[in-house]
Amino acid sequence: MSDANEVARGPWQSEYLALHDPVTSLPNRLLMMEFLAGALSSPQEGRRTLAVFALDIDNFRQLNEMYGLASGDLILAETARRLRRCVRDNDLVARVGADEFILVATGLADSKAVDGLHRRLQAALSVPVALPSGAVAYPQADMGIALAPLDAHEPDSLIHCAELALNRAKDEGPGACCYFAADMNDEMAGRRTLEGDLRRAIVSDEFVLLFQPRCDARTLELLGVEALIRWDHPQLGRLAPDEFVPIAEKSGLVIPLGEWVLRKACDTISRLPELNVSVNVSVVQFRNGELVGTVESALRATSLPAHRLELEITESVLIENTDKALDILEGLKKLGVRLSMDDFGTGYSSLGYLRTFPFDALKIDRRFVGDLDQSKGALAIVQAILGLGRALGMQVVAEGVETESQLAVLKADSCDEVQGFYLGRPMTEEALRAYIAERRLAS
Ligand code: C2E
Ligand code: CA
Ligand code: CA
C-alpha cells in the first residue's frame, strides 16, 4: 500500500505522533507547554484567571495489575474522554505521564468558576469504569490546582505549583484535591533534605527502636511487645515514624530501614526469654519481593524462634495484587511467624480477604478504642470486630487503650490482648527490662 497518499500522510503523521499520546489521542507535555505559553501571553488572559489542574490516577498501577494492560489503556482513554467533556473546546487536556494528566482552563471569571470546574471534574471521575470483561474498575484521581496570575505567571513555575499541590493531595489520600499554597515550596525543600539525611542516618545509626507492651486483656500478663521506630535527628531531635516513614517509603529507603528494624527487634527479643515481638511491615517492603528472605535471615542471624515473631500488615498490602500478596503471606507462614492485620477497620471494607489470607490476629485500630467511652457506634464496631475474630478463629488485639473503663469494656467483650498507654508507653530496651522486673516483684 505504498501509494502517494501514504507518503503524503507520512510527515503529518509523524508530527501528530510527536505531539500526541497514542492511547488517549490527547496532546502530550510538549504541546501542552506550547499551549500554556501561548495562553499566558495572550492579552485576553490578562484580567481573567487561568487554572492548571494536575491529575493523577492514584491506584493505576494496581488496576493495571488487576485487570491487565488493555483494560489499563481503556481506563486511560475513558478518563481522557471525561476530562475533555468537562472543559470548553479552547481549553486543553494533555496526558503527561503514565497516569498523569494536565488540564489547562482559560478565561475563568473568578474563583467560583474554578471551584465549579473542580467539582465537575471530581464528579466525572468518580463514576466507575465498566470493562469489557464485565468487571468494574474504580479509578481514584488526585488533583492539584494552580492559578495564574495568582500563583505564578510562567508556564514552568505554574506547572510546578500544580504538581506540588498534587503531591499534597496524594498525601491526603485517594480522591483528594488541593490548591497550591506558598508553604508547599518550603515543605518540598524540607522533604528533599530529610530524604538526604535519611540516607546518612541509616549508615550512621541514628535510629532507635522502642518497645510497647502487649498484655493479656484478662490477666494483664505481659505477652509481648510491638517494635516502634524513632529517628534521633542530629538537628531536629527525635522524630516520630509518621514524620519520616512516608519519605522512606517514597524513596525506597524503607527497604534497608525495614531490614534494620527486623534485625534489631529479633536481636533484642532473643535476649528476653518468653517475650514475643511484633514488627510493622510497610507495603513497599511487600512489593520489593524479598521480604520472606529478609525475615528468614533476621531469624537465623539472631536465633529467635520464628513463632515469637509477628508481622503487622495493613490492608493496603492486600488490595494491590492479591495473588502475589497471598504467595508472600504463605511464604512467611511457612517460616513459622505469626501474621496480624494492623489498623483493622480503617481500610477497605471487603472482608472476603480475611478468609483467604492466613492471619492469626486482628488489631482493632486505636480510633475505635479511643471513642469507646463516648460513642455507641465505636462500641458496636469494636464488638463486631471481636465477633468476627472469634468466628474466624483469630485473636483480637485492641490498640490505644488509655483508660481503665476502655479496658473494662474490652475485657467484658472477651478481647484477647490489649496495648496502649494505660498498659505502657513505647519504651527503650532498658526501660522494658525495668518494666518486666517491676511486674515480677509485684506479682
Ligand atoms: P501503629 O502500627 O498503629 O502503631 C501504634 C501507634 O500508636 C504507635 O505510634 C504508638 O506509639 C501509638 N500508641 C500506642 N498506644 C497508644 C495510646 O494508648 N494512645 C495513643 N494516642 N497512641 C498510642 P508511633 O510509634 O508514632 O507509630 C506510628 C505508626 O508508624 C505506626 O502505627 C506504624 O504504622 C508506623 N511505624 C512505626 N514503626 C515502624 C517501623 O518500624 N516500620 C514501619 N514500616 N512502620 C512503622
Ligand atoms: Ca502496628
Ligand atoms: Ca495499628
Side-chain angles (χ1 to χ4, degrees):
M1 279 253 303
S2 64
D3 58 11
N5 227 354
E6 187 70 51
V7 178
R9 220 187 309 144
W12 177 82
Q13 251 190 340
S14 63
E15 188 184 333
Y16 181 86
L17 286 177
L19 295 173
H20 291 81
D21 155 51
V23 175
T24 59
S25 307
L26 290 179
N28 62 16
R29 188 180 281 272
L30 206 64
L31 189 52
M32 181 273 292
M33 288 309 279
E34 231 170 69
F35 174 87
L36 186 58
L40 284 170
S41 60
S42 125
Q44 292 101 292
E45 263 316 306
R47 266 170 285 118
R48 299 219 147 203
T49 295
L50 179 150
V52 171
F53 288 71
L55 297 112
D56 175 300
I57 307 180
D58 205 35
N59 52 346
F60 186 67
R61 234 181 78 129
Q62 290 100 290
L63 294 173
N64 237 347
E65 283 177 5
M66 218 185 297
Y67 300 114
L69 296 181
S71 294
D73 284 356
L74 197 137
I75 291 170
L76 291 173
E78 178 59 23
T79 305
R81 251 191 306 279
R82 292 180 186 184
L83 294 176
R84 277 253 41 119
R85 255 186 261 133
C86 291
V87 295
R88 289 174 310 190
D89 285 347
N90 46 352
D91 294 335
L92 177 124
V93 180
R95 180 177 177 211
V96 296
D99 50 5
E100 288 163 38
F101 298 87
I102 296 267
L103 186 151
V104 182
T106 55
L108 296 161
D110 49 24
S111 62
K112 253 208 214 121
V114 182
D115 256 355
L117 175 54
H118 147 217
R119 269 197 298 275
R120 278 205 303 286
L121 289 168
Q122 269 186 326
L125 296 177
S126 66
V127 181
V129 178
L131 301 174
S133 63
V136 178
Y138 295 84
Q140 288 191 302
D142 301 323
M143 250 183 258
I145 308 174
L147 305 175
L150 182 70
D151 300 325
H153 324 263
E154 299 299 320
D156 282 331
S157 29
L158 196 55
I159 295 291
H160 181 63
C161 291
E163 283 173 346
L164 285 177
L166 174 62
N167 276 333
R168 174 73 62 87
K170 281 190 195 167
D171 287 345
E172 287 184 5
C177 173
C178 279
Y179 281 85
F180 173 76
D183 71 318
M184 290 178 185
N185 274 319
D186 307 340
E187 189 197 303
M188 200 34 97
R191 200 181 269 191
R192 254 185 236 123
T193 35
L194 216 51
E195 191 185 313
D197 291 355
L198 206 51
R199 262 171 230 284
R200 190 209 55 226
I202 290 180
V203 187
S204 52
D205 215 15
E206 291 169 13
F207 297 103
V208 179
L209 209 53
L210 300 184
F211 301 92
Q212 186 178 33
R214 288 176 50 166
C215 301
D216 183 300
R218 218 167 32 84
T219 64
L220 299 191
E221 180 196 353
L222 177 65
L223 301 174
V225 288
E226 174 174 2
L228 294 161
I229 194 168
R230 300 289 181 269
W231 177 9
D232 282 337
H233 190 285
Q235 283 87 40
L236 301 173
R238 181 159 286 193
L239 299 180
D242 296 339
E243 297 173 88
F244 65 88
V245 170
I247 299 172
E249 286 179 329
K250 279 201 184 116
S251 58
L253 288 169
V254 77
I255 304 285
L257 191 63
E259 242 175 271
W260 179 85
V261 171
L262 264 168
R263 214 30 104 83
K264 184 81 178 173
C266 292
D267 180 53
T268 308
I269 297 310
S270 68
R271 287 178 274 106
L272 287 165
E274 306 316 318
L275 271 199
N276 298 327
V277 66
S278 62
V279 170
N280 293 287
V281 177
S282 145
V283 61
V284 179
Q285 288 172 274
F286 229 80
R287 261 189 229 135
N288 156 273
E290 278 160 31
L291 187 60
V292 180
T294 305
V295 171
E296 189 176 19
S297 60
L299 290 170
R300 198 172 327 113
T302 59
S303 309
L304 182 75
H307 68 89
R308 288 174 57 198
L309 174 64
E310 176 173 308
L311 301 178
E312 299 194 3
I313 296 159
T314 57
E315 287 163 90
S316 54
V317 161
L318 305 181
I319 49 155
E320 278 215 347
N321 183 338
T322 320
D323 287 340
K324 197 169 151 210
L326 188 58
D327 282 351
I328 298 175
L329 291 176
E330 279 170 352
L332 292 168
K333 279 264 57 140
K334 269 204 204 103
L335 295 179
V337 302
R338 283 168 52 88
L339 300 175
S340 60
M341 164 118 304
D342 204 359
D343 303 342
F344 188 73
T346 58
Y348 299 79
S349 47
S350 156
L351 295 176
Y353 59 75
L354 273 186
R355 270 193 317 156
T356 318
F357 294 105
F359 286 104
D360 302 284
L362 295 177
K363 296 191 82 175
I364 308 179
D365 192 74
R366 62 176 187 270
R367 257 170 280 179
F368 303 123
V369 176
D371 289 345
L372 266 184
D373 292 338
Q374 304 92 297
S375 144
K376 282 212 177 85
L379 178 62
I381 290 172
V382 167
Q383 285 171 334
I385 298 176
L386 286 164
L388 189 68
R390 257 195 303 278
L392 293 171
M394 290 177 202
Q395 290 205 303
V396 181
V397 185
E399 307 185 303
V401 179
E402 291 184 356
T403 65
E404 193 165 356
S405 61
Q406 290 164 353
L407 177 63
V409 173
L410 292 161
K411 226 195 241 177
D413 283 303
S414 34
C415 180
D416 300 289
E417 260 186 62
V418 284
Q419 175 182 351
F421 295 166
Y422 185 72
L423 292 311
R425 296 206 168 232
M427 54 185 100
T428 59
E429 175 184 354
E430 200 185 4
L432 178 63
R433 287 178 183 277
Y435 179 94
I436 296 170
E438 211 172 280
R439 294 190 143 224
R440 255 190 223 123
L441 282 178
S443 66

